[in-house]
Amino acid sequence: MLYTIIKALHIIFMVSYFAGIFYLVRIFVYYKDTDEFAEEKKKILREQYTFMARRLWNIITVPAGVIMTVCGITMIFLNLGLMKTPWFHLKLTFLMGLAVYHYWCWKKVLQLKQLDGNTLGTANIKLRQANEIATFILFLVVFTVILKSQVIEYWWQLIAGFFVLVFLIMMTVKLVNKKKKK
């Protein structure tokens, strides 16, 4: 029963964490979108986006990430057999990628604060593409957890499907960005 309750909490805070990460990077995109605005409007919006990013990071994303991680580690201690399964090692590998992405987001939040309303150096299209990284990691982790050993058995079909998904999402981002410029 305890394991199931911890698992439910892990899932709830995983959803909260990913919601925070998804919206955070979208705020970076919005900040960058202000480059072509009039100075007064740009200043007001950039202050607001910086404020929103810091609040989202400090009040939702990081606390949800910490609780998600604590619940995950607790589940490992309650079921040490997880560490003997190949699919779980794969999940942990994807979570290492999420940790790198989390660090990148944290650095961007700090950068926004230090910019003091100046232009963000990262290209708009790069921010839009970076916005999809969390989506890819979420797909990888969820499919791994749901399919478990089948992920190992059918790895090449899943990788092919993943690359098709990545390609379609990236092309959609480029198409939307192209229409936006017109």
Side-chain angles (χ1 to χ4, degrees):
M1 176 77 164
L2 176 62
Y3 184 85
T4 307
I5 291 169
I6 299 296
K7 186 176 186 179
L9 290 171
H10 180 68
I11 292 167
I12 290 165
F13 285 100
M14 182 269 304
V15 170
S16 299
Y17 174 79
F18 272 96
I21 285 289
F22 289 150
Y23 190 52
L24 182 68
V25 182
R26 179 57 36 196
I27 290 172
F28 300 156
V29 171
Y30 294 156
Y31 186 99
K32 185 65 179 174
D33 284 347
T34 64
D35 282 355
E36 298 171 15
F37 291 4
E39 282 305 314
E40 187 177 331
K41 184 177 182 180
K42 183 189 306 185
K43 182 180 185 309
I44 292 167
L45 286 173
R46 286 182 174 178
E47 283 178 15
Q48 183 63 34
Y49 291 142
T50 301
F51 173 78
M52 290 168 62
R54 290 178 59 216
R55 296 282 296 241
L56 178 62
W57 183 256
N58 292 323
I59 296 172
I60 296 173
T61 309
V62 171
V66 168
I67 296 169
M68 171 188 71
T69 303
V70 168
C71 289
I73 291 169
T74 302
M75 288 190 315
I76 292 170
F77 281 111
L78 292 175
N79 182 6
L80 290 173
L82 288 171
M83 294 305 291
K84 296 177 184 174
T85 59
W87 70 266
F88 193 74
H89 292 165
L90 187 59
K91 176 189 175 183
L92 292 176
T93 302
F94 296 144
L95 293 180
M96 295 297 237
L98 182 60
V100 171
Y101 186 73
H102 179 93
Y103 178 77
W104 178 85
C105 289
W106 174 60
K107 295 305 270 181
K108 284 290 179 208
V109 169
L110 294 177
Q111 185 182 9
L112 281 188
K113 183 181 176 186
Q114 293 169 350
L115 284 174
D116 196 30
N118 292 315
T119 300
L120 184 61
T122 310
N124 192 298
I125 188 70
K126 295 296 181 196
L127 290 170
R128 290 176 184 276
Q129 290 171 336
N131 196 40
E132 304 307 326
I133 292 171
T135 305
F136 301 145
I137 294 171
L138 181 63
F139 268 84
L140 291 168
V141 170
V142 169
F143 272 89
T144 301
V145 170
I146 299 298
L147 296 174
K148 293 185 177 25
S149 62
Q150 291 174 327
V151 166
I152 306 302
E153 186 177 344
Y154 298 105
W155 64 271
W156 68 270
Q157 292 98 326
L158 291 168
I159 288 175
F162 178 72
F163 280 116
V164 168
L165 177 69
V166 167
F167 176 77
L168 291 174
I169 290 173
M170 289 299 189
M171 294 312 294
T172 302
V173 168
K174 284 189 177 200
L175 181 65
V176 167
N177 201 44
K178 220 180 245 187
K179 286 186 178 182
K180 184 181 170 226
K181 286 183 179 178
K182 289 181 181 179

